[in-house]
Each structure stands twice: as C-alpha cells, then as structure tokens.
Amino acid sequence: VIPNPDRRELIQELNAAKSLEENDKLIVYFAGHGKSEASTSFWLPVDASPDDDTQWLEDNTIKRKLSQIPARNVLVVADTCFSGNLTRGVEVVDIDINETVYEKFEATKSRVAISSGGDQPILDSVSGQHSIFSAAFLSYLERTEKPFSAQELVGDIQFQVLKTSMKAGLEQSPRFGGLDRAGHEGPGFVFYPKK
C-alpha cells in the first residue's frame, strides 16, 4: 500500500513486481485522479497537475510495465476519471463460471483491467470515505465466500454503481477488459477468498 504515491514511486513499484514468479498473482489498484487526451488515459499521481502532463502516467506505460512482470495473472483496477480507455470497447456479459473454468483462468496468462467508469468523469464519493465504485467493490469482496472471477465481480457491481451514480446526476458504469498490449492471452483473473 502506497498512500499518495508520486509518479516515481508508482513506476518503482511496477518495476519491483518484476521479481514475482510465474505462479504469483498481482493486483494493481489505483484510486485517484485521471485525465484523457487523444484517446489515451492517464493516472495523475500526487505530484501531477491536471494542467501540466509532466508527471502524468500514461496507460501505455502501465501496459508496457505489466508486460515485463513474470506473474501469470495480473489485474489492474483503475478507480479514476477517464479510466475506460484501459478497457475500451469491451462489454461485460453474464456468464456461468465453474471450477473447471477457474482452472483455465489460472493456467492462462492474463492481463486484465477493471475501470470504475468509461471515458468521462466519475464520482469521488456520494457519502462516506470511499468512491461509489470502491464501496461496491469492497462490499462484493466482503460478502463473497467462494472463488469468483473479475468478470463476475464487475457484472455484480455494475448495476449498483450505475444506479447510485444516476441518483447523483451522472451515468457511471464499471468496465472489464483484457490488456492486449500488456501480454494478455485470456481469459481473466480469479479471486480466492481467505478461509
């Protein structure tokens, strides 16, 4: 956990993940500000200014770093404005997943992302300390007792986030997709709750 990381710290952590092994799993969760220019999304670390792109972290840089990590399964969760460019053009579909499918997920190299919304501003918070996306994300993690995929997680929280955001005057809907330029082969990422 890196509270309020600057760009250098984020890059250093992604570089440190090169020490992971094939059977390791990695989740990169970034909650903060984001920007979009020319169909490219950027994370804005604590040292970034919205009006000066010097310290912005481009999605292509993130994907390049992820492609160098030996861990077989990597999930990026981007709770930022304009994070939908990471998962551009991918719709979540309701699928029936079982243990055999999870084994396939585990055995295949995956680089997938969940974004808190599309290519637009998102809500930081309606009430409480979390964004509406992270509140729904955490709620799902806390109440789910069996293994589940990132696709199932997004499918479950999508309506909740959309409904809450519409009450606040926006339409925010989480997205899921593969990061092809990061070495994604498919199909996804599996969570295993602690026993």
Side-chain angles (χ1 to χ4, degrees), residues 81 116-117 120-126 132 158-173:
C81 293
S116 57
Q120 74 264 358
I122 61 163
L123 291 169
D124 286 336
S125 172
V126 174
I132 62 168
Q158 229 175 13
F159 179 73
Q160 180 183 347
V161 171
L162 182 59
K163 183 173 130 183
T164 305
S165 67
M166 288 179 74
K167 286 181 183 177
L170 284 176
E171 288 190 26
Q172 176 182 338
S173 181

Side-chain angles (χ1 to χ4, degrees), residues 63-163:
K63 292 173 186 176
R64 180 174 54 83
K65 292 292 182 184
L66 296 176
S67 72
Q68 300 167 352
I69 296 171
R72 186 179 298 120
N73 302 121
V74 177
L75 169 67
V76 174
V77 182
D79 187 6
T80 69
C81 293
F82 308 104
S83 57
N85 283 330
L86 274 172
T87 56
R88 190 173 323 145
V90 178
E91 291 292 323
V92 175
V93 293
D94 189 21
I95 51 176
D96 183 30
I97 299 179
N98 57 42
E99 287 186 24
T100 305
V101 175
Y102 291 145
E103 290 172 11
K104 172 72 173 166
F105 280 34
E106 292 286 303
T108 309
K109 184 177 179 181
S110 64
R111 302 289 186 269
V112 294
I114 297 172
S115 66
S116 57
D119 189 24
Q120 74 264 358
I122 61 163
L123 291 169
D124 286 336
S125 172
V126 174
S127 62
Q129 63 183 16
H130 299 295
S131 71
I132 62 168
F133 169 80
S134 64
F137 189 97
L138 291 169
S139 173
Y140 188 88
L141 293 180
E142 289 168 356
R143 73 177 186 270
T144 307
E145 298 178 358
K146 59 181 185 170
F148 59 93
S149 69
Q151 291 97 316
E152 290 171 297
L153 184 153
V154 173
D156 184 87
I157 69 173
Q158 229 175 13
F159 179 73
Q160 180 183 347
V161 171
L162 182 59
K163 183 173 130 183

